[in-house]
Amino acid sequence: MSSSVRSIVIALVAVVAISGAAAPALGSTAAQTAQQSPGSCDYVSLYDETIGSVVSIQTDAGIGSGYVYETGDNGSAIVVTNAHVVGESDDVMVQFTRGESVMGTVVGRDAGTDLAAVRVDDRPDYVEALPTTESQPQHGTPVAALGNPFGLEGTITQGIVSGLNRSLPTQRGVPIPDTVQTDAAISSGNSGGPLVNCQGEVVGVNAAGIAAPSAENIGFAISHRIVEQVVPELVQDGEFDQPYLGIGVAEVTPAIAEANDLNQTTGVYVGSVAEDGPAAGVLQGAEELAVVDDERVPVGGDVIVGVEGQEVRGMEDLSSILLTETEPGQNVSITVVRDGERQNVTVTAGERPAPTER
């Protein structure tokens, strides 16, 4: 294969959920209506019911937010925040909304999903864990972002779910999939705080906000599905094992579709396969380059159109499914279009190499 065929190595994450079962839908029509109707959300009551579980995370590098994810009988608690909030710190100061400050120990962090877990041993009596939603939010679901933007403690901003299954770019180069987009204002210092629905359930962990002069705020939160998969592993093992396929991929553009005689521009094109990677000998990368409308495009690679029985329309789908449905060592069923025909292949996912090993 020509070295000019662009390769973007995918290193995606997933882990088995605690229950091992799919998340059920909300159990009542009333709850669904409350989730979907912005006018039905009582933000005053929502704030009163949830703010006691929101904390400030303080390190030598600055201040962020977090929330109580789990409580123990002995007064302990697990606080969830962003990995970039705790940085490389082993210990952080956790401050509760009524002013109590305790030292917390970082028990696990994962840069790939930007999540971290902090253990505290002396939580105040009034502090409870915030529940995680059991259903996927819908477009238009009213939500609130809680945290400490610019160090302003106990702040709430309101909005709706603007988009789902977004890919959030990271400094590591591998985007976080399955993130929730919201127009609730998320500013510096909000990172690590919860994005909650009107029932006070966490639908995501605030991770980034964008404010453009000509547009309203656009914020992103790491989805509840990722939180429920990653955090238990961080608490138990201190790290999160991320599966690795060892493939370079690209969106199926019209030029790639034309060069490969594809009848549609959906799916994910496999441009390259690492020689010693998990997909070697199973998935097929590009064999040559062709010129379409003065553009050099790869020819001969597989097009991934399904994973584990779920449709893959683009890279967001591929990333999200691998993140939430697979783990290292698992045999992953992949549906590809090869030489014009659909076929199923099986790849045993590996564990993502450390960045220095790539």
Side-chain angles (χ1 to χ4, degrees):
M1 184 187 68
S2 170
S3 61
S4 59
V5 177
R6 187 177 182 181
S7 175
I8 308 173
V9 176
I10 244 184
L12 297 168
V13 296
V15 71
V16 177
I18 298 175
S19 64
L26 282 176
S28 68
T29 302
Q32 292 174 347
T33 300
Q35 185 187 62
Q36 296 174 17
S37 174
S40 67
C41 195
D42 182 349
Y43 285 101
V44 174
S45 296
L46 178 62
Y47 180 85
D48 290 341
E49 293 169 1
T50 57
I51 196 61
S53 301
V54 180
V55 303
S56 170
I57 304 290
Q58 303 174 22
T59 71
D60 293 339
I63 299 176
S65 302
Y67 73 95
V68 177
Y69 171 83
E70 180 180 271
T71 58
D73 295 335
N74 57 355
S76 66
I78 295 297
V79 170
V80 166
T81 185
N82 288 143
H84 79 260
V85 169
V86 300
E88 299 300 320
S89 300
D90 294 326
D91 299 292
V92 298
M93 182 66 70
V94 178
Q95 181 173 320
F96 295 90
T97 54
R98 297 183 187 176
E100 303 93 339
S101 294
V102 299
M103 290 302 299
T105 301
V106 179
V107 296
R109 75 197 91 202
D110 178 60
T113 55
D114 196 20
L115 290 173
V118 178
R119 183 186 303 278
V120 297
D121 295 324
D122 188 19
R123 75 176 191 276
D125 293 338
Y126 64 86
V127 173
E128 298 179 352
L130 287 182
T132 305
T133 184
E134 294 183 339
S135 62
Q136 179 74 346
Q138 302 177 26
H139 289 83
T141 298
V143 289
L146 300 166
N148 311 288
F150 305 111
L152 300 173
E153 298 177 0
T155 296
I156 181 172
T157 56
Q158 71 176 66
I160 61 171
V161 171
S162 307
L164 297 166
N165 198 21
R166 304 302 197 200
S167 292
L168 179 63
T170 67
Q171 294 181 345
R172 299 175 63 254
V174 180
I176 302 172
D178 199 42
T179 58
V180 179
Q181 179 187 336
T182 179
D183 64 348
I186 297 175
S187 304
S188 178
N190 269 125
S191 295
L195 185 71
V196 299
N197 61 22
C198 293
Q199 291 73 50
E201 300 167 334
V202 176
V203 300
V205 175
N206 303 326
I210 302 172
S214 59
E216 298 296 330
N217 283 6
I218 298 176
F220 298 93
I222 302 161
S223 76
H224 70 282
R225 298 194 300 178
I226 300 177
V227 172
E228 285 292 78
Q229 303 228 26
V230 175
V231 173
E233 290 289 317
L234 296 182
V235 174
Q236 180 175 327
D237 301 327
E239 60 184 7
F240 179 61
D241 293 331
Q242 304 183 18
Y244 170 73
L245 296 183
I247 59 176
V249 298
E251 297 283 2
V252 180
T253 64
I256 289 178
E258 180 179 341
N260 288 272
D261 295 323
L262 303 173
N263 58 12
Q264 59 187 21
T265 56
T266 59
V268 173
Y269 187 83
V270 180
S272 63
V273 180
E275 292 184 4
D276 298 325
V282 181
L283 292 177
Q284 179 175 299
E287 299 171 345
E288 59 183 353
L289 292 172
V291 178
V292 177
D293 296 330
D294 297 324
E295 179 184 352
R296 292 166 63 86
V297 294
V299 177
D302 289 332
V303 177
I304 298 175
V305 295
V307 173
E308 290 293 291
Q310 300 183 53
E311 181 183 8
V312 171
R313 295 162 294 182
M315 287 199 287
E316 286 82 5
D317 287 341
L318 176 62
S319 300
S320 179
I321 295 169
L322 288 173
L323 173 66
T324 59
E325 302 292 338
T326 72
E327 61 180 352
Q330 177 180 334
N331 291 329
V332 181
S333 174
I334 300 176
T335 304
V336 300
V337 175
R338 180 181 296 171
D339 298 326
E341 297 184 358
R342 293 172 71 99
Q343 57 182 280
N344 292 322
V345 298
T346 300
V347 175
T348 301
E351 185 176 335
R352 187 195 69 184
T356 55
E357 298 175 8
R358 292 183 185 177

